[in-house]
Amino acid sequence: MKWLPRALAPMLPLLLLMLLRPAWAVEEDGYDLWLRYRPLEKTAQAQLRARATALVYAGGRGAIGATGEAAVAELRRGLEGMLGAAPALGASVKDGAIVLGTPATLPEAAALDLAPLGKEGYLVRSMRLRGHRVTLIAANSDIGLLYGAFAWLRAASTGAGVDFARELRSAPRLQLRVLNHWDNLNRTVERGYAGESIWNWWALPEIRDRRHVDYGRANASLGINGTVLNNVNSKPDILTAPWIAKAAAVADTLRPYGIKVYLSARFSTPLELGATKTADPLDPAVAAWWRAKADEIYKSIPDFGGFLVKANSEGQPGPQDYKRSHADGANMLAAALAPHQGVVMWRAFVYAHEKPDDRAKQAYDEFKPLDGTFAPNVLVQVKNGAIDFQPREPAHPLFGAMPNTPLMMEFQITKEYLGFATHTAYLGTMYEETLATDMGNGNGTVARILERGAGPKDQPRSLTGMAGVANIGSDRTWSGSHFDQANWYAYGRLAWDPRAGAREIAREWVAQTFSPDPRVTAPVVDLLMMSREAVVNYMTPLGLHHLMGTGHHHGPAPWVDDLGRPDWNPVYYHRAGRDGVGFDRTATGSDAVAQYAPELARRYADPRATPEPLLLWFHHLPWDYRMASGRTLWTELVARYDLGVAQAEDMRGRWLRLKPAIDARRHAEVLMALDKQLLEARWWRDACVAYFQSVSGLPLPAGAPAPERSLDHYKSLRFPYAPGNG
Amino acid sequence: MKWLPRALAPMLPLLLLMLLRPAWAVEEDGYDLWLRYRPLEKTAQAQLRARATALVYAGGRGAIGATGEAAVAELRRGLEGMLGAAPALGASVKDGAIVLGTPATLPEAAALDLAPLGKEGYLVRSMRLRGHRVTLIAANSDIGLLYGAFAWLRAASTGAGVDFARELRSAPRLQLRVLNHWDNLNRTVERGYAGESIWNWWALPEIRDRRHVDYGRANASLGINGTVLNNVNSKPDILTAPWIAKAAAVADTLRPYGIKVYLSARFSTPLELGATKTADPLDPAVAAWWRAKADEIYKSIPDFGGFLVKANSEGQPGPQDYKRSHADGANMLAAALAPHQGVVMWRAFVYAHEKPDDRAKQAYDEFKPLDGTFAPNVLVQVKNGAIDFQPREPAHPLFGAMPNTPLMMEFQITKEYLGFATHTAYLGTMYEETLATDMGNGNGTVARILERGAGPKDQPRSLTGMAGVANIGSDRTWSGSHFDQANWYAYGRLAWDPRAGAREIAREWVAQTFSPDPRVTAPVVDLLMMSREAVVNYMTPLGLHHLMGTGHHHGPAPWVDDLGRPDWNPVYYHRAGRDGVGFDRTATGSDAVAQYAPELARRYADPRATPEPLLLWFHHLPWDYRMASGRTLWTELVARYDLGVAQAEDMRGRWLRLKPAIDARRHAEVLMALDKQLLEARWWRDACVAYFQSVSGLPLPAGAPAPERSLDHYKSLRFPYAPGNG
């Protein structure tokens, strides 16, 4: 905090006041996320104070509901933090007041063209109201007001909006903005690297965790409006009465924040609970059971969101067990939920026991023929890429291929394949890369495809949505590390607006999370923006994928070739041999390129036209293939691994130089993580280079550092206690 | 906090200052434990300020080591919290100074008869020094100074010692005061109900958790000087190089707080790691492997404490696998550790596959014959009772039966059998009950037996110690609930002084944790003091034991009779039938009473002489047996169950009335737990009464409430996701 005293010197009284507090009480431990509301610099404080002289909820104290209360409480919390004091909720409009109003509570709001904002959008405008200069936060509903309050606080706390030259006007481009918790009922989290589940099922429903309120606040600040509480690898228990009561307690806590609760449903639930003799979706008894179950759930959770289903994938039961289609299964559940306005999110990540032709092709092969056959309250949830959340994948070919079915994006926020919570890898750039991919065929970008939903372009939109596999746990930082909070943030902001830019999102996050001072934001944003590419380089450069260790997915294991089925093995994906490396997905190989629109298919079919970062995803090329750089593929590959390590070193160096500008605890904690990341980056490089060298038989390129240890050493490493396998 | 403004009214400036802080920043979430150092009431503050005008480390800034730094930092932290400001560390003694000195750094300390305090004891005395009136904290070493600093802070913050009419002079009565973490390498905690392990093995050694510093502080405040990091059900991995490095990182953090790190060692480690062909303790290769391993550990952890071993118990490997004795096994390990002053803590909790005569007898049968055969650096660690940490057990017959072997007490702090972290059950009374039990034969109480250690009474003491199975986890409260912190506290204070009183310890804890105001301490202490007896009453009254659910040990299951071996079943322990109830451990039964000294054996052999709370532990009695109350056993049993529920209701009512006096968050959180406890108390009563009625065939006593649900309902309950089985 060395630079802070200087910046804060003019506000000595408040500073002295803070010095009188026990030092540890203000230590930054990350719990406050991007909602820290720390004291502003003096000038900004004076400006803000003049624009926060009063706080008025237009409907009056009597009309305020839980969501309105949350908006007012958040504004007060923010002002208390940034200014040292906040006005109480008052009734009379005066100069400098902040006024919250909807057309129902504030006649003047009706004139502001709020209809296009829909239920959730908001307008924040500096304007005259009843003769006074006020800041109006307007929306069509209280949840819009809450989102508007957060937008105003974001602007104020990042220094961006204190003078409000521009109005803030925004509405979400997607309807369902959902977190998927892969949280198990015993509180472990599959692919979770941030401690235990925040859902302490054992204690619920009687004992409610105050942390869930802060979870609601954080998500509402991003516009996230749904959360699936339990793992897609689900258990029948979650739909029994005791667990519905637990979920209802969580729903009660989250409701004021505009967040609906969903549950992952196991397709065979009635069968496994002994209530039916089959789980066949066309069996009337099965359908009746699900209808009754939906009715039961809605009695406890009147705004229950619906079911997320992983079926006929990785051993999960599903309609195909009864020779029925995914649509048969999804539609049966959808019929049970429809009377209550619930939805089914049906995952397209299918990955069955049979046919290891090319795993990348399976989802498209199974789902494209079903286009147009799903009920209107079903969304098909498609992962960003066709394999499984690798550090880099081309956009999934299903995007644009199912025009009559609403597709919901599934991103992974938790870093299963990108170094767990230890490695810094800002995923905003990865999400942006997928969302900005033009899928051809006149469909436009993935973002546009998601926004459009199903049906003809000129018709009212169907359901739309985006899902993010949460990186949230009981860790004090929520996400397992300070920088991983940025991925939660970026996901949420992109779910609200899939066309937003990763860099601007990073800037917003850094400004709120560390400091709005450009001496902090600029270098930290640069660090974040380079971070994911660094991980790609030291793990899986040039389109390589699935080189990681078995089961836990930690560390390099490109040599693994002995697992139960071919497409579990890294060698299946890289296909390295004396002759070259890479997966031929052109017509001479698996022809996965044919799943893309012709324009994209042509590009991906030609190694010269394929973007170099995806080269070995689509092509098997000889080691002496000449790259754009003029280097051979082998030399380029090794250079990329080296570059990744150099980038990890660079990131560490950049952070080290920021020491005077960052609070001591978080600086030290991030630095420890970057130290570990650098060790593991070297390990990835050395193990992969040693392995590919053993396969190519080629000498190391001149100047390339030799691997530190032998290939046998890297092969011998075991990680039986890795997190996330729970 | 409603009463606080009144009490604090005179200190308005500071109060205003606190009001200016964002409200949530001061919210009590339990993390600070009993080291909260909140602002004192004004009069106490003035008194204290006059006695804390300066802070002097007698050796001077240059001589101060990490432990001295910790003492000074804690004093400053405490003063900042209680007074709003603290003096910096200075050099010159003046009136009102706090001076820390050892005979080496302060010549005047040499005159104070410090020798009897040993290395760890301390003296805090208000006295004249070099013409000034000072508070002297004196000890023979820096760790003594740290303990003295904590003692002074405890006195100051509880209002007890601000005027120091009496000096504080104390030395520990036991040498090893150790926590046993049953923490697994994957971060689950066996029988842990407070989240994950605080040892994030995956992140270590590079990423160190700031929380470990606070763990060190909290334990040092109690005098705990050792911690076994991993579960007694151990894995070979813990003794491999990567894990030794992780343990060394923890040891580095804890060292300044006087806490040694120990590890649980799996007896078959060298065999399982493939380093030897056997784990036979008499095999020279095995002994050599352990010697080399000890040398390796001490290179990284020079003050490593030693090994804790669970051998030949519940499936763990051990020397008996090779027809060797426990002493053979322990002494082999002890020989490896002896050159480094390490110790072996060898558990007497043996519980083998064979002979279900009476499980309560096994430890005595196996260990008593080995008395006097253990190496001097071995302690035999004996659970407080002969079964397994039941809500009430008679003291273990081994205490007093092995005069030539140092016995170490093993208490369980985590509440495996007392309602997990949900139920409030202050264990201070339970520990006190065991420690105060006179074992007869002239041995005196269990406390005296522990303090004496091995060998003739007039000789220098051997090793002595106490172990507590920790209730610590990643939960924000550390212990899974606010009141469970009291059990950590009580254990630590009793390990320092096994003769201390549970009520006074509770008072100390409440005063520091909630408020020193007698309007808070008196009712909260009363609540704590009744709490464990309430649990005994609604779970296992009158000496019943082991009635809990299978595996997870949650809830009632007295009906279970179908497990793999007889002594896994509750019916084995209560032996209820038409004829009566209870385990006959007299000469007509298993004759376990014969393991006690004659005096005690005679008492336990006679139902009229046996304390009623232990009646059914030792006797099988007819349902119409006439109790001291004049009621029949059946009527008394049901009355006890009812009483337990009434007590749980009473506790809840008492807490509810304290609402104005307790900060809002903790009041609400404790209340939710008490609500759940009351529900579960009723469940215990109803299920047990329904079951025993089904066995006795007797009508419910007049006035006794009928069980709410059928016995079949209670039998049908399943808890597959209960915590603590990890």
Side-chain angles (χ1 to χ4, degrees):
Chain A
M1 301 233 293
K2 277 187 191 154
W3 65 273
L4 262 178
R6 192 162 65 82
L8 293 178
M11 45 181 297
L12 200 63
L14 190 74
L15 193 69
L16 272 175
L17 197 151
M18 297 193 58
L19 287 176
L20 282 171
R21 295 157 67 168
W24 76 98
V26 289
E27 199 179 55
E28 297 273 5
D29 62 10
Y31 181 82
D32 290 339
L33 294 163
W34 48 87
L35 303 174
R36 290 162 56 253
Y37 307 132
R38 295 298 187 266
L40 295 181
E41 174 272 328
K42 192 199 170 192
T43 315
Q45 219 173 27
Q47 285 176 349
L48 188 65
R49 200 172 279 120
R51 289 168 182 278
T53 60
L55 203 48
V56 178
Y57 181 83
R61 227 176 239 288
I64 201 164
T67 300
E69 291 270 22
V72 169
E74 196 68 30
L75 287 168
R76 296 201 69 232
R77 179 192 293 261
L79 290 169
E80 277 173 5
M82 293 187 286
L83 302 180
L89 183 62
S92 57
V93 174
K94 61 176 180 176
D95 279 347
I98 299 172
V99 180
L100 297 95
T102 64
T105 61
L106 188 72
E108 292 86 342
L112 292 173
D113 187 29
L114 299 180
L117 296 176
K119 182 175 171 254
E120 297 180 309
Y122 59 82
L123 166 68
V124 181
R125 177 181 289 182
S126 196
M127 63 181 278
R128 293 200 83 79
L129 185 73
R130 299 174 193 174
H132 296 284
R133 188 145 189 87
V134 306
T135 299
L136 177 67
I137 301 178
N140 292 310
S141 70
D142 273 9
I143 187 64
L145 294 181
L146 179 61
Y147 290 157
F150 275 115
W152 183 83
L153 286 164
R154 182 163 55 236
S157 64
T158 57
V162 174
D163 87 8
F164 293 120
R166 62 188 172 100
E167 70 174 24
L168 307 172
R169 187 184 186 97
S170 187
R173 294 191 198 273
L174 298 177
Q175 294 168 44
L176 308 182
R177 306 175 299 277
V178 178
L179 288 177
N180 288 185
H181 285 266
W182 286 359
D183 294 15
N184 297 316
L185 305 189
N186 65 359
R187 240 187 134 175
T188 58
V189 180
E190 185 170 328
R191 311 309 175 185
Y193 314 104
E196 291 184 295
S197 171
I198 59 169
W199 318 122
N200 186 351
W201 295 114
W202 186 253
L204 287 166
E206 292 87 0
I207 302 177
R208 301 177 185 207
D209 191 340
R210 193 70 59 95
R211 188 167 192 148
H212 298 173
V213 173
D214 292 323
Y215 171 89
R217 291 175 48 236
N219 281 316
S221 79
L222 306 173
I224 288 172
N225 66 2
T227 181
V228 185
L229 300 182
N230 61 314
N231 193 349
V232 289
N233 293 317
S234 185
K235 300 284 186 187
D237 312 67
I238 191 69
L239 298 184
T240 61
W243 295 85
I244 292 170
K246 294 168 194 282
V250 174
D252 287 344
T253 303
L254 300 183
R255 189 168 295 113
Y257 301 96
I259 299 167
K260 284 187 181 183
V261 156
Y262 300 71
L263 295 174
S264 289
R266 185 167 164 87
F267 199 76
S268 53
T269 300
L271 174 66
E272 290 187 59
L273 292 179
T276 58
K277 292 200 170 58
T278 169
D280 182 347
L282 301 193
D283 184 292
V286 170
W289 186 90
W290 283 103
R291 277 198 307 276
K293 183 51 70 177
D295 296 346
E296 179 191 349
I297 294 171
Y298 280 91
K299 250 181 225 145
S300 299
I301 314 176
D303 56 352
F304 179 64
F307 295 135
L308 170 63
V309 185
K310 173 178 179 176
N312 293 121
S313 173
E314 298 184 317
Q316 293 294 311
Q320 294 177 342
D321 302 346
Y322 307 94
K323 316 268 183 233
R324 314 298 184 191
S325 74
H326 286 291
D328 292 332
N331 293 345
M332 181 274 291
L333 294 177
L337 294 165
H340 309 281
Q341 286 74 54
V343 307
V344 172
M345 302 176 292
W346 191 271
R347 290 175 94 233
F349 177 66
V350 289
Y351 164 22
H353 311 288
E354 315 81 28
K355 55 166 173 182
D357 158 27
D358 179 359
R359 190 176 125 192
K361 290 164 62 184
Q362 192 176 341
Y364 182 99
D365 288 346
E366 285 194 29
F367 276 85
K368 177 151 175 58
L370 298 175
D371 187 29
T373 66
F374 289 94
N377 61 330
V378 175
L379 297 103
V380 172
Q381 184 168 312
V382 182
K383 288 187 182 183
N384 59 292
I387 294 297
D388 191 12
F389 299 134
Q390 292 299 298
R392 169 166 280 128
E393 299 196 26
H396 201 297
L398 271 176
F399 292 113
M402 295 182 71
N404 301 305
T405 306
L407 298 188
M408 191 166 176
M409 171 63 75
E410 179 175 322
F411 282 129
Q412 193 178 45
I413 311 172
T414 188
K415 303 209 309 300
E416 176 178 356
Y417 297 104
L418 289 101
F420 297 1
T422 311
H423 296 209
T424 289
Y426 171 56
L427 301 181
T429 50
M430 185 170 95
Y431 303 154
E432 184 182 47
E433 184 175 297
T434 302
L435 291 168
T437 301
D438 190 321
M439 298 304 291
N441 253 9
N443 283 310
T445 62
V446 171
R448 300 286 176 148
I449 292 165
L450 294 176
E451 291 170 27
R452 197 156 53 231
K457 291 183 199 179
D458 52 350
Q459 301 243 331
R461 293 193 303 171
S462 70
L463 287 173
T464 59
M466 189 185 287
V469 180
N471 66 346
I472 295 164
S474 63
D475 189 82
R476 188 65 182 163
T477 64
W478 295 85
S479 299
S481 76
H482 297 293
F483 274 150
D484 269 302
Q485 298 177 352
N487 295 326
W488 178 7
Y489 188 91
Y491 164 74
R493 297 290 280 153
L494 286 165
W496 180 275
D497 180 6
R499 305 182 210 171
R503 178 175 285 275
E504 173 53 21
I505 291 172
R507 203 200 62 76
E508 263 181 17
W509 178 79
V510 175
Q512 293 169 87
T513 304
F514 288 106
S515 163
D517 188 322
R519 288 166 294 181
V520 173
T521 53
V524 179
V525 168
D526 286 346
L527 189 162
L528 290 176
M529 290 300 289
M530 72 187 288
S531 60
R532 177 252 186 162
E533 203 62 37
V535 172
V536 170
N537 282 329
Y538 63 69
M539 285 187 180
T540 52
L542 299 176
L544 288 172
H545 50 288
H546 207 293
L547 304 186
M548 71 286 164
T550 304
H552 47 64
H553 300 169
H554 173 69
W559 47 79
V560 172
D561 61 1
D562 59 353
L563 302 179
R565 45 183 276 181
D567 58 344
W568 285 349
N569 290 306
V571 299
Y572 170 91
Y573 294 96
H574 64 66
R575 308 199 169 196
R578 287 279 159 188
D579 67 317
V581 62
F583 197 131
D584 182 4
R585 292 194 166 102
T586 70
T588 56
S590 77
D591 204 23
V593 294
Q595 294 185 336
Y596 288 92
E599 175 183 347
L600 222 53
R602 267 194 304 277
R603 197 180 331 146
Y604 292 156
D606 173 3
R608 289 288 156 211
T610 302
E612 218 162 62
L614 295 175
L615 191 64
L616 303 178
W617 185 282
F618 288 114
H619 303 283
H620 185 82
L621 297 169
W623 292 108
D624 59 0
Y625 175 81
R626 196 58 60 176
M627 304 289 288
S629 63
R631 294 188 277 220
T632 65
L633 173 55
W634 168 241
T635 303
E636 184 71 32
L637 184 69
V638 175
R640 290 282 167 161
Y641 274 111
D642 280 339
L643 176 61
V645 172
Q647 286 170 315
E649 268 165 7
D650 187 18
M651 282 159 55
R652 187 185 172 282
R654 286 166 189 257
W655 184 253
L656 204 54
R657 289 192 290 280
L658 280 161
K659 190 168 181 190
I662 306 282
D663 49 280
R665 175 165 174 173
R666 287 192 297 174
H667 189 272
E669 288 176 347
V670 169
L671 187 62
M672 289 188 288
L674 289 168
D675 283 342
K676 197 174 181 84
Q677 179 172 11
L678 181 53
L679 288 175
E680 296 187 359
R682 290 189 182 127
W683 166 39
W684 264 95
R685 174 194 62 189
D686 289 355
C688 290
V689 168
Y691 169 72
F692 286 121
Q693 196 191 9
S694 78
V695 175
S696 73
L698 295 168
L700 274 185
E708 197 188 329
R709 308 285 298 265
S710 71
L711 180 56
D712 282 345
H713 167 77
Y714 298 118
K715 286 184 175 181
S716 75
L717 300 175
R718 294 289 178 274
F719 304 94
Y721 307 105
N725 271 334
Chain B
M1 301 229 297
K2 277 188 190 151
W3 65 273
L4 263 176
R6 192 161 67 79
L8 293 178
M11 43 178 299
L12 200 65
L14 190 74
L15 193 68
L16 273 175
L17 197 150
M18 296 192 59
L19 287 176
L20 282 172
R21 296 158 66 169
W24 77 98
V26 289
E27 199 179 56
E28 297 273 4
D29 63 11
Y31 182 81
D32 290 339
L33 294 163
W34 48 87
L35 303 174
R36 292 163 54 252
Y37 307 132
R38 294 299 186 269
L40 294 181
E41 175 273 326
K42 190 197 170 192
T43 315
Q45 219 174 27
Q47 287 176 349
L48 187 65
R49 199 172 280 120
R51 289 167 182 279
T53 59
L55 203 48
V56 178
Y57 182 83
R61 226 176 241 290
I64 201 166
T67 300
E69 291 270 21
V72 169
E74 196 68 28
L75 287 167
R76 295 202 69 231
R77 180 192 293 261
L79 291 169
E80 276 173 6
M82 293 187 286
L83 302 179
L89 183 61
S92 58
V93 174
K94 61 177 181 175
D95 279 347
I98 299 172
V99 180
L100 296 94
T102 63
T105 61
L106 187 73
E108 291 86 342
L112 292 174
D113 188 28
L114 299 181
L117 295 176
K119 180 172 172 255
E120 298 179 308
Y122 59 82
L123 167 69
V124 181
R125 178 182 287 182
S126 195
M127 61 179 281
R128 293 200 82 81
L129 184 73
R130 300 174 194 175
H132 296 284
R133 186 142 190 89
V134 305
T135 300
L136 177 67
I137 301 178
N140 291 310
S141 70
D142 273 9
I143 188 63
L145 294 181
L146 179 61
Y147 291 156
F150 275 114
W152 184 84
L153 286 164
R154 182 163 55 236
S157 64
T158 57
V162 175
D163 88 6
F164 293 120
R166 62 189 171 100
E167 69 172 27
L168 307 172
R169 188 185 184 95
S170 188
R173 294 190 197 275
L174 298 176
Q175 295 168 43
L176 308 183
R177 306 175 299 276
V178 178
L179 287 177
N180 288 185
H181 284 266
W182 286 359
D183 293 15
N184 297 316
L185 305 189
N186 66 358
R187 237 187 137 175
T188 58
V189 180
E190 184 171 330
R191 310 309 175 185
Y193 314 105
E196 290 184 295
S197 171
I198 59 169
W199 317 123
N200 186 350
W201 294 115
W202 185 254
L204 288 166
E206 292 88 359
I207 302 177
R208 300 177 185 208
D209 191 340
R210 192 71 60 95
R211 188 166 192 147
H212 299 172
V213 173
D214 292 323
Y215 171 91
R217 291 175 47 236
N219 280 316
S221 79
L222 306 173
I224 287 172
N225 66 2
T227 180
V228 186
L229 300 182
N230 62 314
N231 193 351
V232 289
N233 294 317
S234 184
K235 301 283 186 188
D237 312 67
I238 191 69
L239 298 184
T240 62
W243 295 85
I244 293 170
K246 294 169 194 283
V250 174
D252 288 344
T253 302
L254 300 183
R255 190 168 294 114
Y257 301 96
I259 299 168
K260 285 187 180 182
V261 156
Y262 299 71
L263 295 174
S264 289
R266 185 166 164 89
F267 198 77
S268 53
T269 300
L271 173 66
E272 290 187 58
L273 293 178
T276 58
K277 293 200 170 56
T278 169
D280 181 347
L282 300 193
D283 184 291
V286 170
W289 185 90
W290 282 103
R291 277 197 308 274
K293 183 53 68 178
D295 295 346
E296 179 191 349
I297 294 171
Y298 279 91
K299 251 181 225 145
S300 298
I301 312 175
D303 55 352
F304 179 66
F307 296 134
L308 171 63
V309 185
K310 173 178 178 176
N312 293 120
S313 173
E314 297 185 319
Q316 293 294 313
Q320 293 178 343
D321 302 346
Y322 307 94
K323 317 268 181 233
R324 315 298 185 191
S325 73
H326 286 291
D328 291 332
N331 293 344
M332 182 275 289
L333 294 176
L337 294 165
H340 309 281
Q341 285 73 54
V343 306
V344 172
M345 301 175 293
W346 191 271
R347 289 175 96 234
F349 178 67
V350 290
Y351 164 22
H353 312 287
E354 315 82 27
K355 57 165 171 181
D357 159 27
D358 179 358
R359 190 175 125 194
K361 290 165 63 184
Q362 191 176 340
Y364 181 100
D365 287 346
E366 284 194 29
F367 277 85
K368 176 151 178 59
L370 298 174
D371 186 30
T373 66
F374 290 95
N377 60 333
V378 175
L379 297 103
V380 172
Q381 183 168 311
V382 182
K383 289 187 181 182
N384 60 292
I387 295 295
D388 191 11
F389 299 135
Q390 292 299 297
R392 169 166 281 126
E393 300 196 25
H396 201 296
L398 271 176
F399 293 113
M402 295 182 70
N404 301 306
T405 305
L407 299 189
M408 190 166 177
M409 170 63 75
E410 178 175 323
F411 282 129
Q412 193 178 45
I413 311 171
T414 188
K415 303 208 308 302
E416 176 179 357
Y417 297 103
L418 289 101
F420 297 1
T422 311
H423 297 209
T424 289
Y426 172 56
L427 302 181
T429 49
M430 186 171 94
Y431 303 153
E432 183 182 46
E433 183 175 298
T434 302
L435 292 167
T437 301
D438 190 320
M439 298 304 291
N441 253 10
N443 282 311
T445 64
V446 171
R448 300 286 176 148
I449 292 165
L450 295 175
E451 291 169 26
R452 195 157 56 231
K457 293 182 198 179
D458 53 347
Q459 299 245 331
R461 293 194 305 170
S462 71
L463 286 173
T464 59
M466 189 186 288
V469 180
N471 66 346
I472 295 164
S474 64
D475 189 82
R476 188 65 182 163
T477 64
W478 296 86
S479 300
S481 77
H482 297 292
F483 274 150
D484 269 301
Q485 297 177 352
N487 295 326
W488 178 7
Y489 188 92
Y491 165 74
R493 297 288 280 152
L494 286 165
W496 180 275
D497 179 6
R499 303 182 211 172
R503 177 175 285 274
E504 173 53 22
I505 291 172
R507 203 199 62 76
E508 263 182 16
W509 177 80
V510 175
Q512 294 169 85
T513 303
F514 289 105
S515 162
D517 188 322
R519 286 167 295 180
V520 173
T521 52
V524 179
V525 168
D526 285 347
L527 189 163
L528 291 176
M529 290 300 289
M530 73 187 287
S531 60
R532 177 253 186 162
E533 202 63 35
V535 173
V536 170
N537 282 329
Y538 63 68
M539 286 187 180
T540 52
L542 300 176
L544 288 172
H545 50 289
H546 207 293
L547 304 187
M548 70 287 166
T550 304
H552 47 65
H553 299 168
H554 172 70
W559 47 79
V560 172
D561 61 0
D562 58 354
L563 302 179
R565 45 184 275 183
D567 57 345
W568 285 349
N569 291 305
V571 299
Y572 170 90
Y573 295 97
H574 64 66
R575 310 202 166 193
R578 288 278 157 186
D579 66 318
V581 61
F583 197 132
D584 182 3
R585 292 194 166 103
T586 69
T588 57
S590 78
D591 205 23
V593 295
Q595 294 185 336
Y596 288 93
E599 177 182 345
L600 222 52
R602 265 194 304 277
R603 198 182 329 146
Y604 291 155
D606 174 3
R608 289 288 156 211
T610 303
E612 219 161 61
L614 295 175
L615 190 64
L616 303 178
W617 185 283
F618 289 114
H619 304 283
H620 186 84
L621 297 169
W623 292 108
D624 60 358
Y625 176 83
R626 197 57 61 175
M627 303 290 288
S629 63
R631 294 189 277 221
T632 66
L633 173 56
W634 168 240
T635 303
E636 184 73 30
L637 185 69
V638 175
R640 289 284 166 159
Y641 274 111
D642 281 339
L643 176 61
V645 172
Q647 287 169 317
E649 269 165 8
D650 186 18
M651 282 159 56
R652 186 184 173 283
R654 286 166 189 256
W655 184 253
L656 204 55
R657 289 193 290 279
L658 280 161
K659 189 168 180 190
I662 306 282
D663 48 281
R665 175 165 175 173
R666 288 191 297 174
H667 189 273
E669 289 176 347
V670 169
L671 187 62
M672 290 187 287
L674 289 169
D675 283 341
K676 197 175 181 84
Q677 179 172 12
L678 180 53
L679 288 176
E680 296 187 358
R682 290 188 183 128
W683 166 39
W684 265 97
R685 175 195 60 189
D686 288 355
C688 289
V689 168
Y691 169 72
F692 286 120
Q693 196 190 9
S694 77
V695 175
S696 73
L698 295 168
L700 274 184
E708 195 188 331
R709 307 285 299 263
S710 72
L711 180 56
D712 282 344
H713 166 76
Y714 298 118
K715 286 185 176 180
S716 75
L717 300 174
R718 295 289 178 274
F719 305 93
Y721 308 104
N725 270 334

